[in-house]
Amino acid sequence: MAETSLAQAFSESQTPESLPPKPYHAKRPHKKSRAGCQSCKARKVKCDEARPICRSCRLRKADCIYATPSKPQKCLDETPSSSSSDSVDDGPLTHIKSAASPTATKLASISSTSSVLCSTPILALAEKHSIQSPSIPAELLCCPMGIDEADMKALWFYATQTCTSFSTVADDGHKYIMRSLLVRYGPESPFLLDSIFALAGLHMQRLNQQFDAKRALSYRVKSLAGYRKAIEEAKPSDFPALVANSLLLTALSSEHFREADGKQLYILDWLVVWKGILLVMELVSKSTVVESGLNRLFFRPKSDVEKAAAYIPPHLLLLMSSISPSDAEYSLRETYHQTLKYLGSLYMDLAQGPSPMMSLRTITIFTFLPSLYIDAARMLQPRALVILAYFAAFFKLVQWSVWWLEGVGDRTMRDICLYLDAEWQPFLQVPCAALDAQDHAQLAKIILGDEDVALPLENFTGYGVQMGETVGCCEPLNAH
């Protein structure tokens, strides 16, 4: 006699006669939500289709992902956690938390009722790159269709390596926000996905890993073209992606500093890229940034600029005091003095001992500087360029902590020292000497002008993992 499963035996025992009559309920008429988010569909509840986050997901603090006709997604059918105890912010990204990575066993248990399946190339990459750890970043379980193996390689590298390139706090919240860009905004804003591909490709090249240089260049071209178009169209649905992309571009555009035949004084164009962050923030409004949950990416350490004024190098103060009423830069005196206070804040940090905060303040310094100063530098005003050369010395000081800053300081100092004539060379002795520095200690002594200074320079290494206690010392990007 053939064996009968418990489920089959139970089913056969429940004849129509043995079952109690079912009560009749009239089916309530309702309009189906055919364009609802994936989370609502998985829970089989009506979605109000509000974008970028529907009401249900907002209330549940869940991941709200929409499938688009042009680029449908391949995702696991899963319901995000709504636990608030592990949240990283008060915005809609509070669902992002450091959960245990799914293993190969968990991947095998994907529900057969899921409307979409995990991408096979992702699984192949998992087997190839996870010899020591079989885990797969959760964000890689959702990816756009129509991408090839090179795209998959870029996605994999971004989710496992490059997403930490902007980390500034000890917890993983920042990293998970950067990872979430893949599934939250990439599919609906292709220019952001191109930027992610391009940045990952650039990162791999910097680490001497094999990646098609033509493909990397193609990503960059498509990213910039799509970004410009999105700004011109200014669609609200693209606003979160525009904000995130403005940050990615600061690293992506840094590659021009490392090109042998790069544009002279490229630093002036890079200033515009940093200024673009402020412009995009103004375009999309502060509330949009907060509601998108991306505001945590745009925090900077506060600086006591009045106290820092005492640390401004005397020869730079002399340079400013020499401006006569007939000088073309006379109207910029106050702007220059305010800019020098921010430079003084870096000197103050370095004199007191380099710290994670000094590194972060250095990286974000261009978002603090007066707009008139940036305009003066772009107009090639000599004193503005002299000050810029000193900021570049600090960029060289922290380049060992952030891969995309490599070469930014050296290229900028060299260009400015070559551009300005003999009249300004006495004020450029520090930047010119900094070009020859080969290590932290030597460079710090050159900047401070003290050969006997002893500084705990080990603080420069890995500053991103030492900043857990400093989050409260930051201010939002649009706060001045």
Side-chain angles (χ1 to χ4, degrees), residues 138-216:
E139 291 76 14
L140 282 180
L141 298 180
C142 290
C143 58
M145 292 180 63
I147 58 179
D148 58 21
E149 185 176 353
D151 296 336
M152 285 292 184
K153 183 178 181 180
L155 277 176
W156 177 269
F157 197 84
Y158 174 84
T160 57
Q161 302 291 331
T162 308
C163 66
T164 64
S165 299
F166 298 89
S167 298
T168 57
V169 293
D171 62 43
D172 285 335
H174 195 289
K175 179 176 66 176
Y176 284 109
I177 292 175
M178 294 301 293
R179 276 182 174 177
S180 75
L181 299 179
L182 287 170
V183 294
R184 290 184 63 80
Y185 305 115
E188 294 189 12
S189 301
F191 65 88
L192 178 60
L193 202 57
D194 286 328
S195 293
I196 287 172
F197 289 155
L199 191 60
L202 180 61
H203 194 184
M204 280 187 276
Q205 290 176 320
R206 296 311 305 163
L207 295 175
N208 296 319
Q209 295 194 21
Q210 186 175 2
F211 194 81
D212 187 353
K214 291 184 178 179
R215 174 67 70 100

Side-chain angles (χ1 to χ4, degrees), residues 26-248:
K27 189 174 182 180
R28 184 176 63 180
H30 66 281
K31 181 180 179 181
K32 289 186 177 181
S33 172
R34 300 186 182 280
C37 71
Q38 297 293 338
S39 180
C40 287
K41 287 184 177 181
R43 297 175 56 240
K44 297 183 179 180
V45 298
K46 189 175 186 303
C47 179
D48 65 1
E49 302 177 23
R51 300 197 182 211
I53 303 173
C54 73
R55 182 175 181 276
S56 176
C57 290
R58 186 185 298 278
L59 292 176
R60 297 176 58 250
K61 296 183 179 180
D63 196 357
C64 189
I65 305 173
Y66 285 92
T68 57
S70 58
K71 284 194 175 185
Q73 284 184 285
K74 299 179 177 181
C75 308
L76 279 183
D77 194 11
E78 60 183 7
T79 303
S81 170
S82 59
S83 171
S84 59
S85 61
D86 294 310
S87 65
V88 299
D89 208 333
D90 294 329
L93 292 185
T94 50
H95 64 280
I96 301 173
K97 62 180 183 177
S98 179
S101 300
T103 61
T105 302
K106 293 180 181 178
L107 288 174
S109 65
I110 297 174
S111 172
S112 60
T113 60
S114 177
S115 58
V116 286
L117 299 176
C118 185
S119 168
T120 299
I122 281 291
L123 294 177
L125 282 173
E127 295 175 357
K128 180 179 179 181
H129 295 280
S130 301
I131 298 176
Q132 296 180 343
S133 173
S135 62
I136 297 177
E139 291 76 14
L140 282 180
L141 298 180
C142 290
C143 58
M145 292 180 63
I147 58 179
D148 58 21
E149 185 176 353
D151 296 336
M152 285 292 184
K153 183 178 181 180
L155 277 176
W156 177 269
F157 197 84
Y158 174 84
T160 57
Q161 302 291 331
T162 308
C163 66
T164 64
S165 299
F166 298 89
S167 298
T168 57
V169 293
D171 62 43
D172 285 335
H174 195 289
K175 179 176 66 176
Y176 284 109
I177 292 175
M178 294 301 293
R179 276 182 174 177
S180 75
L181 299 179
L182 287 170
V183 294
R184 290 184 63 80
Y185 305 115
E188 294 189 12
S189 301
F191 65 88
L192 178 60
L193 202 57
D194 286 328
S195 293
I196 287 172
F197 289 155
L199 191 60
L202 180 61
H203 194 184
M204 280 187 276
Q205 290 176 320
R206 296 311 305 163
L207 295 175
N208 296 319
Q209 295 194 21
Q210 186 175 2
F211 194 81
D212 187 353
K214 291 184 178 179
R215 174 67 70 100
L217 178 60
S218 174
Y219 289 147
R220 289 164 60 185
V221 171
K222 287 169 34 178
S223 165
L224 294 174
Y227 183 59
R228 282 193 290 265
K229 182 179 179 181
I231 290 178
E232 293 172 358
E233 295 179 347
K235 296 178 181 178
S237 60
D238 279 332
F239 283 175
L242 283 173
V243 172
N245 202 72
S246 68
L247 179 63
L248 296 182

Side-chain angles (χ1 to χ4, degrees), residues 273-338:
V273 177
W274 281 98
K275 188 176 180 179
I277 297 178
L278 299 172
L279 296 177
V280 170
M281 296 282 276
E282 292 174 1
L283 169 68
V284 305
S285 80
K286 180 180 178 180
S287 61
T288 299
V289 179
V290 172
E291 290 175 4
S292 68
L294 299 176
N295 52 311
R296 185 163 188 159
L297 302 180
F298 299 92
F299 274 72
R300 311 162 301 166
K302 291 181 179 180
S303 178
D304 188 346
V305 293
E306 297 307 321
K307 182 180 179 181
Y311 291 83
I312 300 173
H315 57 282
L316 293 183
L317 291 175
L318 177 63
L319 178 64
M320 297 304 118
S321 64
S322 67
I323 305 178
S324 64
S326 61
D327 198 302
E329 295 178 90
Y330 186 75
S331 62
L332 294 169
R333 289 179 305 164
E334 184 58 36
T335 298
Y336 286 160
H337 279 292
Q338 187 65 23

